[in-house]
C-alpha cells in the first residue's frame, strides 16, 4: 500500500485537483442556472432539469480527465471514446428527434419568451393551436386548449413555428400538479 501511495502521489494530487476544479465549475454553473431561472421567472422543475444536464456534463468531463491523469494514453482514449460514440450514434440515429427535443429544451430554458401560465397561439399552417402553457418539459410543452384538451407539443417544433402571446399569465399556478 505504501509503495502504491509513493508511486502514485502525483496522480493522486492531480486527481484531487481535477475533482475540486470540476466541483467548483459545477457550483458556478448550477448557481448561474438558478440565478437565470429566478431572474427570468422560470419554473423550478425546468431549473432542476438544467442542473441534471450540468451534472451529466461534469461527470463526462471528469471521467475523461481522470482517465488521462491515471495514465491512459491518448490513443487508447480516442479508441474508447470513438467506439462508445459510434455505438451511441448508431443507437440514437433512429431517435434523433429525442436529441433535437432535448437541445430545444435547453435553448428554451435560456431564451423562450413565454412562461407557464401564458396563453399562446402556435401558427401552424395545418392546424393553428391556441391554449395555455401548463408545463415545459425536456421533450415537449403541455398546452391546455380552451376546450380542456391537453396537447403535448414537441420542443423542436416550438422553436420552428411562429408563436404569438394571446394573454400573459392566463392562470395562476397554485403549486398543485394536475398531471
Amino acid at each position: 500500500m505504501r509503495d502504491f501511495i509513493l508511486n502514485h502521489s502525483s496522480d493522486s494530487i492531480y486527481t484531487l485537483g481535477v475533482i475540486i476544479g470540476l466541483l467548483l465549475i459545477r457550483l458556478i454553473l448550477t448557481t448561474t442556472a438558478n440565478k437565470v431561472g429566478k431572474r427570468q421567472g422560470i419554473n423550478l422543475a425546468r431549473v432542476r432539469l438544467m442542473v441534471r444536464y450540468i451534472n451529466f456534463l461534469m461527470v463526462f468531463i471528469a471521467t475523461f480527465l481522470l482517465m488521462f491523469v491515471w495514465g491512459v494514453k491518448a490513443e487508447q482514449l480516442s479508441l474508447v471514446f470513438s467506439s462508445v460514440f459510434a455505438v451511441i450514434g448508431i443507437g440514437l440515429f433512429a431517435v434523433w428527434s429525442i436529441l433535437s427535443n432535448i437541445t430545444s429544451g435547453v435553448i428554451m430554458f435560456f431564451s423562450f419568451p413565454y412562461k407557464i401560465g401564458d396563453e399562446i397561439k402556435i401558427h401552424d399552417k395545418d392546424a393553428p393551436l391556441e391554449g395555455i402553457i401548463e408545463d415545459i418539459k425536456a421533450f415537449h410543452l403541455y398546452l391546455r386548449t380552451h376546450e380542456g384538451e391537453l396537447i403535448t407539443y414537441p420542443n423542436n417544433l416550438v422553436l420552428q413555428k411562429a408563436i404569438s402571446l394571446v394573454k400573459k399569465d392566463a392562470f395562476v399556478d397554485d403549486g398543485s400538479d394536475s398531471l
Side-chain angles (χ1 to χ4, degrees):
M1 181 69 170
R2 183 176 181 203
D3 291 337
F4 179 80
I5 293 172
L6 291 175
N7 290 337
H8 297 289
S9 62
S10 64
D11 295 338
S12 300
I13 292 170
Y14 289 138
T15 299
L16 186 62
V18 165
I19 290 172
I20 289 172
L22 288 177
L23 285 174
L24 287 173
I25 292 171
R26 180 187 165 273
L27 177 67
I28 291 167
L29 290 175
T30 55
T31 303
T32 303
N34 285 322
K35 285 181 181 178
V36 167
K38 185 177 279 187
R39 184 176 15 161
Q40 294 183 0
I42 296 173
N43 187 354
L44 184 60
R46 291 184 63 211
V47 173
R48 287 184 185 150
L49 181 65
M50 283 296 106
V51 170
R52 273 189 258 155
Y53 289 158
I54 291 168
N55 289 338
F56 177 77
L57 178 66
M58 289 296 108
V59 167
F60 183 76
I61 292 171
T63 302
F64 178 77
L65 290 176
L66 290 177
M67 288 174 69
F68 189 70
V69 164
W70 282 92
V72 177
K73 303 271 190 274
E75 302 86 38
Q76 295 167 333
L77 277 180
S78 65
L79 177 66
V80 168
F81 280 106
S82 64
S83 300
V84 168
F85 284 129
V87 170
I88 290 173
I90 291 169
L92 293 179
F93 180 74
V95 290
W96 65 269
S97 63
I98 291 175
L99 292 176
S100 172
N101 283 322
I102 290 173
T103 304
S104 299
V106 171
I107 292 169
M108 287 171 57
F109 177 78
F110 290 107
S111 65
F112 194 57
Y114 311 111
K115 296 182 176 60
I116 294 172
D118 290 350
E119 185 174 346
I120 62 169
K121 181 176 183 179
I122 300 173
H123 301 279
D124 191 356
K125 66 179 180 178
D126 297 330
L129 297 172
E130 187 170 329
I132 299 170
I133 299 174
E134 280 198 1
D135 202 357
I136 302 172
K137 298 289 187 181
F139 298 104
H140 51 268
L141 167 125
Y142 287 126
L143 192 66
R144 179 77 61 183
T145 65
H146 298 293
E147 294 80 27
E149 184 180 16
L150 181 64
I151 296 174
T152 57
Y153 205 76
N155 285 343
N156 62 348
L157 292 181
V158 170
L159 293 181
Q160 294 175 14
K161 304 290 181 182
I163 299 176
S164 58
L165 180 65
V166 175
K167 187 175 174 187
K168 191 106 177 117
D169 292 325
F171 72 87
V172 178
D173 188 11
D174 62 355
S176 65
D177 191 12
S178 62
L179 299 177

